[in-house]
């Protein structure tokens, strides 16, 4: 909160994330992974999603990166081809390392609209084929603290003297901030990391005190420096996520949900998936409960 920043980061690019359709009937506001910004090393995708039954994200594969699902409202039912299943409820976190291969489904649970953020974090070449794993934290167990009108939920990394237990294969920080009117924040960010803000609610001033305010659903790419300053000059609550990561500096080859380093590795991944080998063995006979219901 009282951190001294020698070189505060400024906004170098700003744009609004507009709704588009993904999955089956779901709506997402995609800010990273669209034509204006294909990749922001090490981040591949950031979606703010909104989904209500029967829409959702039925059975689909991943290889070569991590998906981070952070629920804002409602709940999503997750199940994969290894038998891992459960509910991700409002405020909960699922940090899924797909590694060498996962096939899973993500479908809304219950009535009403479910909303959340999904971030794709790239893995280095040495980690792309590691065994899949999950880190799941319920809302009540996410590290959180408040001071001087600022509340932070630490999804990954550290802030305001508290640290998340989440291990990140690619060094990453993920902070959910809420600022009351007239509050001010100084948050350190490791030098050399790429970082951005995604605004969820209200409006705030980021980087330079004399800059204009940014409202909800905006992606703000930050330049280099040692941290970020934020002011809430409005009369409403400001909520945003601050996300940063250490760049991998490696080539990216992507085909939808497969992210590798070369086109040859993508070709091999497609072959592995089609022939149910090298991590996709259990996909041969698996259908999620959601998919079985859709096919009935």
């Amino acid at each position: 909160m009282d951190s001294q920043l020698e070189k505060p980061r400024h906004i170098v690019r700003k744009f609004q994330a507009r709704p588009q359709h993904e999955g089956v009937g779901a709506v997402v506001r995609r800010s990273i992974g669209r034509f204006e910004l294909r990749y922001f090393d090490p981040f591949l995708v950031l979606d703010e999603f909104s989904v209500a039954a029967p829409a959702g994200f039925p059975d689909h594969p991943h290889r070569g990166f991590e998906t981070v699902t952070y629920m804002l409202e409602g709940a999503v039912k997750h199940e994969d081809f290894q038998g891992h299943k459960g509910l991700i409820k409002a405020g909960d976190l699922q940090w899924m390392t797909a590694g060498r291969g996962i096939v899973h489904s993500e479908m809304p649970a219950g009535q009403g609209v479910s909303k959340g953020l999904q971030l794709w974090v790239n893995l280095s070449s040495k980690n792309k084929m590691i065994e899949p794993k999950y880190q799941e934290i319920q809302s009540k167990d996410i590290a959180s603290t408040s001071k001087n009108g600022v509340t932070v939920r630490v999804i990954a990394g550290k802030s305001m003297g508290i640290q998340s237990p989440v291990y990140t294969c690619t060094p990453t920080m993920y902070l959910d901030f809420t600022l009351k009117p007239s509050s001010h924040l100084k948050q350190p960010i490791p030098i050399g990391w790429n970082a951005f803000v995604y605004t969820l609610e209200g409006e705030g001033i980021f980087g330079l005190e004399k800059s204009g305010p940014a409202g909800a659903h905006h992606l703000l790419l930050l330049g280099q420096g040692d941290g970020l300053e934020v002011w809430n000059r409005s009369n409403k609550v400001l909520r945003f996520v601050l996300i940063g990561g250490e760049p991998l500096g490696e080539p990216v080859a992507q085909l939808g949900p497969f992210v590798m380093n070369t086109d040859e590795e993508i070709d091999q991944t497609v072959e592995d998936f089609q022939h149910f080998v090298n991590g996709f063995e259990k996909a041969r006979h698996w259908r999620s409960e959601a998919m079985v219901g859709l096919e009935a």
Side-chain angles (χ1 to χ4, degrees), residues 2 23 43 52 122 129 186 193 209-210 222 249 269 284 294:
D2 300 316
F43 305 111
N122 202 5
M129 294 296 285
K186 292 182 181 179
W193 283 25
E209 193 170 6
K210 63 183 179 182
L222 304 178
T269 296
R284 181 186 297 272
L294 289 172

Side-chain angles (χ1 to χ4, degrees), residues 7 19 26 51 89 91 118 121 125 131 160 175 188 222 278 284 296:
K7 187 183 177 185
V51 60
K89 300 178 182 178
Q118 187 167 94
V121 185
S125 56
E131 289 298 319
M160 292 168 59
L175 308 174
L222 304 178
N278 293 332
R284 181 186 297 272

Side-chain angles (χ1 to χ4, degrees), residues 225-282:
D226 62 355
L228 174 68
E229 282 198 78
V230 183
W231 296 262
N232 184 358
R233 298 281 191 234
S234 75
N235 59 3
K236 296 181 180 179
V237 166
L238 165 66
R239 187 180 182 190
F240 63 93
V241 292
L242 170 61
I243 297 174
E246 184 174 32
L248 298 175
E250 296 180 354
V252 175
Q254 181 173 1
L255 180 65
F258 303 137
V259 183
M260 304 299 287
N261 295 110
T262 67
D263 290 339
E264 290 77 15
E265 290 170 340
I266 289 292
D267 292 342
Q268 184 62 56
T269 296
V270 172
E271 190 170 315
D272 290 347
F273 180 60
Q274 290 176 341
H275 292 89
F276 310 108
V277 297
N278 293 332
F280 292 112
E281 288 82 356
K282 294 181 179 179

Side-chain angles (χ1 to χ4, degrees), residues 3 13 80-81 103 121 133 161 172 276 285 295:
S3 303
R13 195 170 176 192
D80 76 11
F81 70 168
V103 180
V121 185
K133 65 179 180 181
T172 305
F276 310 108
H285 302 294
E295 293 174 345

Side-chain angles (χ1 to χ4, degrees), residues 119-137:
L119 176 73
W120 292 13
V121 185
N122 202 5
L123 290 170
S124 65
S125 56
K126 68 179 181 181
N127 287 326
K128 284 191 176 297
M129 294 296 285
I130 61 176
E131 289 298 319
K133 65 179 180 181
Y134 291 89
Q135 298 174 85
E136 295 171 316
I137 304 180

